[in-house]
Amino acid sequence: MSNTHNSDSLGTILHVGSYVLYQATGTKGYVTELMSDDEGTWALVDKTDLYYKTEVLTVIEKVEEKEIKEKAFTREEVGEKLEKEKEAAPTEMSDVSVESGG
């Protein structure tokens, strides 16, 4: 198979192991296989286990997702937050803006 047909939407050469983006859905994954047929060249993406035409993929740099860490709050911090929310909430309901239909 010739590498001249293994290019992405920007003309970057694709190979097994390329990290790619399918922009239509935001799917990102690694190319695990390349194959050609009379319709063109296809890349198998590990995330979806689907084949995509290489010209609809874009090679991107993998950016590590930030780790989500737990944050511990003291009772005082939680109490302060609840007090602030209680102060911001209306204490009475008003019927000033109520309209009736007719």
Side-chain angles (χ1 to χ4, degrees):
M1 166 168 50
S2 166
N3 278 345
T4 57
H5 296 80
N6 295 347
S7 56
D8 70 357
S9 61
L10 302 175
T12 305
I13 301 298
L14 280 174
H15 53 76
V16 172
S18 294
Y19 191 65
V20 295
L21 166 69
Y22 177 55
Q23 206 139 19
T25 60
T27 300
K28 297 175 185 174
Y30 290 99
V31 173
T32 57
E33 182 183 339
L34 290 166
M35 71 168 214
S36 292
D37 63 13
D38 31 328
E39 292 185 30
T41 304
W42 302 82
L44 180 64
V45 177
D46 69 338
K47 181 82 171 184
T48 57
D49 205 27
L50 295 173
Y51 284 94
Y52 298 85
K53 291 196 83 169
T54 57
E55 60 264 18
V56 300
L57 298 173
T58 306
V59 174
I60 59 172
E61 186 175 318
K62 181 166 170 96
V63 177
E64 294 297 322
E65 305 266 336
K66 291 182 181 177
E67 281 189 41
I68 299 174
K69 295 182 180 180
E70 284 188 27
K71 180 169 170 40
F73 293 96
T74 64
R75 287 180 187 246
E76 290 78 25
E77 290 173 323
V78 172
E80 287 173 15
K81 180 68 174 169
L82 290 173
E83 281 299 316
K84 285 181 184 177
E85 287 182 13
K86 190 186 277 187
E87 290 171 9
T91 55
E92 291 182 19
M93 302 229 10
S94 170
D95 61 357
V96 173
S97 64
V98 175
E99 296 179 18
S100 61

